[in-house]
Each structure stands twice: as C-alpha cells, then as structure tokens.
Amino acid sequence: METTLTLNHFLAVSGALFAVGFAGVLLRRNIIVIFMCLELMLSAANLSLVAFSRFHIGADGAPNYDGQVLLFFIITVAAAEVAVGLAIIVALFRSRETTDVGAFTAMKN
Amino acid sequence: MNFLFYLFAATALAGGIGVVINRNPVSSAFAMIVSFLGLAALFIQLDAYLVGILQILVYAGAIMVLFLFIIMLLDVPSEERRRLTFGALAAAAAVAGGFLLLLGSVLRKHGAGRAILEPLDLPADAPSDVHRIGDLLFSTYWFPIQIVGVLLLVATVGVVVLSKRELR
C-alpha cells in the first residue's frame, strides 16, 4: 500500500539533515568543513519553512507565502554570512597557516 | 510522487552524510552540492518553484563556488586519519541522536503534522508564486528588504576591509 505524504515526512527529513549538520560541526576539525556543515543546518531549517508554508493553505487555496519570503531573507543573509566568514577564514589562515580548529587558541585563558 | 520524495530525501541526506564523512574538503563541497540539489527538488515538490530555483542558483551556484574557490586558494590538505576521541564521538552521537528522538516524539504527539499533501487547487488565472512573493516583498516586507540591502552592502565592505589588512 502506498502511503500518502504528510507534513511529518518533510519535517523528519529537515530534522535529520539538521542532525547530520550538527554532528558534522561537532566531529570535524577543519574550519571550512565546519562552516559548510553550518550552511547545511541553515538549509535544513529552510526545508521546514517551505513545508509549513505549503501546508498552511489560505482562503484563496494558495499556500501562505510569508514563510517563503522569510526563506528569501535567510538565503540572502546566508550569502552575506558566507562571504564574511570565508574572508575571516582566509585571514586566520594567513596568520596561522592552518585551517585546523585546534590551532585557534588565541582566546583560550 | 511518493517515490520521488523518497529519492530526493535520500539524495539530500546522503549528500549531508557525505559532507561529514569525506576527509577531503573538495569532496565534502561536492557532496554538499548534491545535498542542495536534493533539497531544491524537495522545495519544488512543495510547489515552491522560486525558492527551489533560488536554492540552486544561490547555494549550489554562488555559495559553493565560493567555498571551492577558498578551499583551492588555501590548498587545504585532506584531514589526516586520526583516532576519533571517544568523547567527541559520544557527544556527537548523544546530541544528534537526542535531537532526533526529541523530534520523533514531538512529531508523533501532534496531529497537525499528519496533514496530507494534496495538490493545490488554484484557478487558472491565479498569480504565480514569483508574483505573490514579489508582491509581499515590496508591500508587507518593504522595510526588511531595505535592511537586507544594507546588510549586503556592509558585508561587501567588511570583506574588502578583512582582506586588505594583515591580521596579527
């Protein structure tokens, strides 16, 4: 028997993707990969936004587009964040010659 | 329809796992692109065409190219195989597993999540989603979009400043 797709399906995928990204942030040592895992978590959250938007049907039969507008802003902010974050990583690499997070201990103690 | 959902969900998740387990950052970045393509397909399945295309254009197109550019500019080596400390592995498993358990219990408990995905029932002359989002952006959300414009300007200036001055 073929099951029908529900909101839960999409939220479960979104949550699983978020958990994968989170595990990556905790396990990896390379700062660039950690940053990529952060982006993964951000877009996992995007999936639940789109799902909620799609399942909130308004009076005119169309989805509620407010969620998709928020997603538009999230994508814009993510683009700005990546540009600044990577510039910071390049600056860190220039001073430490490594991208291993273990080497960045200037603020310890 | 269902088959496609499982296919694209598996693509997105496999890409995500690939990002975490690949030791070479370039392979991680390519796995990330696969993951974003799967996500974009899921968006399109949810009738969010504009957002799906934006996901591909901005994330897979612009952001990942920036990542690859920086990885190749810095010539980041593969992470050497290291013994995973038990603490890190246990913490990652506990946090991610705990989060998934919590999510599962919440999803099971609340009936709202059981809403079934039905095809949209729109009249033939209904405005497209691009039209609707554009309308919202420049009416209800006119102020946030100006703030986002300023944010992008600040980010651009910040990147120039960061890459000009030597940090010591």
Side-chain angles (χ1 to χ4, degrees):
Chain A
M1 184 195 123
E2 203 171 64
T3 54
T4 45
L5 288 180
T6 63
L7 177 55
N8 273 350
H9 284 80
F10 291 95
L11 294 185
V13 172
S14 160
L17 209 55
F18 188 89
V20 168
F22 199 16
V25 171
L26 292 178
L27 283 174
R28 296 303 299 264
R29 310 284 299 165
N30 187 329
I31 194 165
I32 294 180
V33 179
I34 290 179
F35 202 34
M36 288 201 295
C37 289
L38 283 176
E39 290 304 310
L40 199 63
M41 288 160 75
L42 213 56
S43 36
N46 285 350
L47 177 58
S48 39
L49 273 178
V50 176
F52 282 127
S53 143
R54 174 63 177 75
F55 280 85
H56 187 144
I57 300 290
D60 58 349
N64 186 329
Y65 284 104
D66 286 346
Q68 297 188 21
V69 172
L70 178 56
L71 199 147
F72 178 86
F73 288 128
I74 291 178
I75 289 180
T76 320
V77 172
E81 175 213 327
V82 166
V84 175
L86 285 176
I88 291 175
I89 289 175
V90 170
L92 274 173
F93 186 83
R94 271 202 214 136
S95 69
R96 296 288 151 88
E97 296 291 319
T98 177
T99 54
D100 189 298
V101 281
F104 305 133
T105 53
M107 288 176 74
K108 207 172 176 181
N109 302 322
Chain B
M1 184 86 170
N2 282 355
F3 163 72
L4 286 179
F5 168 79
Y6 291 112
L7 177 70
F8 292 131
T11 312
L13 282 175
I17 291 170
V19 175
V20 178
I21 64 174
N22 270 316
R23 276 180 297 124
N24 186 347
V26 178
S27 321
S28 280
F30 279 106
M32 187 91 166
I33 293 176
V34 172
S35 176
F36 283 151
L37 290 181
L39 261 182
L42 286 182
F43 288 172
I44 287 172
Q45 190 170 29
L46 286 166
D47 298 294
Y49 300 103
L50 173 66
V51 166
I53 298 295
L54 274 183
Q55 176 86 9
I56 293 179
L57 281 183
V58 177
Y59 270 107
I63 292 184
M64 291 322 291
V65 166
L66 202 57
F67 267 110
L68 280 171
F69 176 71
I70 295 297
I71 290 170
M72 290 173 179
L73 176 79
L74 299 186
D75 198 15
V76 182
S78 295
E79 245 170 274
E80 68 270 26
R81 190 181 290 281
R82 67 196 164 87
R83 187 174 288 283
L84 279 172
T85 55
F86 177 73
L89 210 57
V95 172
F99 176 77
L100 281 181
L101 278 181
L102 198 65
L103 182 80
S105 71
V106 169
L107 289 188
R108 197 152 348 97
K109 211 164 272 172
H110 292 277
R114 283 184 214 107
I116 290 169
L117 182 67
E118 273 152 7
L120 282 180
D121 181 26
L122 288 176
D125 59 343
S128 65
D129 65 332
V130 183
H131 189 140
R132 299 283 300 258
I133 291 174
D135 263 358
L136 275 176
L137 272 181
F138 291 104
S139 57
T140 315
Y141 296 97
W142 65 272
F143 191 61
I145 202 167
Q146 309 235 358
I147 300 280
V148 160
V150 175
L151 178 81
L152 282 176
L153 178 67
V154 169
T156 316
V157 175
V159 168
V160 171
V161 170
L162 271 173
S163 49
K164 270 267 151 70
R165 200 171 41 203
E166 283 290 320
L167 291 186
R168 57 184 117 243

